[in-house]
Amino acid sequence: MTTKDPRAHPLARLAGLVADETRAACLLALLDGRAWTAGELARHAGVAASTLSEHLGKLVAGGLLTEERQGRHRYVRLADARVAQLVEDLAAQVAPGGDAVRPRNLRESTAGSAMARGRTCYDHLAGRLGIAVTDALTARELLRQDTGFALTDAGVAWFDSAGIRLDRTSRRPLARACLDWTERRPHLAGVAGAALCRHALDAGWCVRIGSERAVKVTATGERIVSELLGIPARALQ
């Protein structure tokens, strides 16, 4: 006689929450780290507001989303970085080719190209931009990848010298590998990845473009990042 693993039921329940196209679309949209209204998510997912509300209720009850209300508006966001990691890791298992839906028009094609070039992945940089930064940190021995992602002592000092504050009190790992779903290689996540992304946006090194997660490096960002990490400007465009 075997004893069922007590994790089986909650795992199946979690998988069931994600295994719906509308809910999956909401989770992917919320990877931008921002709070969305129910109406915004309904339009994004292409469903009625009443239908979307039911899906959001399940995601909130399942612990994948948190919600807050401001007046008549209901905002939702991913519950925490662990949920973002789960969604991104699952998305990375879906190859860009194969069953991927081809862009229906020039607008979708342009948006897809922008996302591949540079985007936020919850709270850190991804796409070719995220990979370029990760490779530069590794080449300068500020980040190690041989035994898992880890900042070196020189790397910690680099963040301090660049004015990028690292939250040492966080329960999150200082550096973590996150598989990039467009580049199929890991980029920097964790406390260091989040701090770098936040600083890049606050300092104007990068700006958000469009209504999704795409970002682009500004002229100021090209100059500063090139000085700090030796990345050629063409690799940041």
Side-chain angles (χ1 to χ4, degrees):
M1 182 176 179
T2 59
T3 302
K4 182 186 294 186
D5 191 319
R7 298 171 297 178
H9 178 70
L11 178 59
R13 183 169 176 268
L14 174 62
L17 283 173
V18 180
D20 176 273
E21 189 170 347
T22 297
R23 292 196 289 272
C26 292
L27 292 170
L28 289 168
L30 291 167
L31 276 177
D32 67 0
R34 294 178 287 187
W36 288 48
T37 67
E40 289 170 335
L41 283 172
R43 289 190 293 274
H44 176 80
V47 298
S50 57
T51 300
L52 195 281
S53 180
E54 181 180 348
H55 285 298
L56 292 184
K58 291 180 179 179
L59 291 171
V60 170
L64 296 182
L65 301 184
T66 58
E67 65 177 338
E68 58 187 70
R69 293 184 180 273
Q70 292 186 6
R72 296 183 295 108
H73 295 292
R74 176 193 188 190
Y75 291 87
V76 294
R77 65 172 73 243
L78 296 182
D80 52 36
R82 291 179 300 173
V83 174
Q85 179 181 345
L86 171 67
V87 176
E88 187 73 10
D89 287 348
L90 287 173
Q93 303 308 311
V94 183
D99 295 333
V101 178
R102 294 182 180 276
R104 294 172 295 183
N105 49 49
L106 179 59
R107 180 180 179 182
E108 287 191 0
S109 178
T110 301
S113 296
M115 289 276 283
R117 186 167 53 249
R119 64 183 182 277
T120 55
C121 172
Y122 187 55
D123 61 0
H124 53 271
L125 297 172
R128 291 195 296 274
L129 171 60
I131 294 296
V133 170
T134 300
D135 285 350
L137 289 169
T138 304
R140 294 193 165 211
E141 299 186 345
L142 306 177
L143 174 70
R144 294 187 60 181
Q145 298 190 40
D146 53 347
T147 56
F149 269 39
L151 287 185
T152 63
D153 290 341
V156 173
W158 179 88
F159 273 82
D160 288 338
S161 66
I164 304 174
R165 178 180 173 276
L166 297 176
D167 182 6
R168 303 297 187 85
T169 65
S170 175
R171 295 182 179 181
R172 299 173 65 185
L174 190 60
R176 179 182 68 80
C178 180
L179 181 60
D180 196 292
W181 63 266
T182 52
E183 296 301 301
R184 318 304 289 175
R185 296 176 53 205
H187 56 243
L188 175 64
V191 170
L196 179 58
C197 179
R198 182 170 57 251
H199 187 85
L201 290 169
D202 290 346
W205 299 356
C206 295
V207 293
R208 295 185 183 274
I209 55 176
S211 59
E212 297 192 23
R213 295 188 280 145
V215 298
K216 69 174 182 179
V217 181
T218 63
T220 298
E222 289 180 8
R223 176 178 57 80
I224 294 177
V225 174
S226 179
E227 292 174 356
L228 290 173
L229 291 173
I231 304 175
R234 64 179 179 278
L236 298 172
Q237 298 171 351

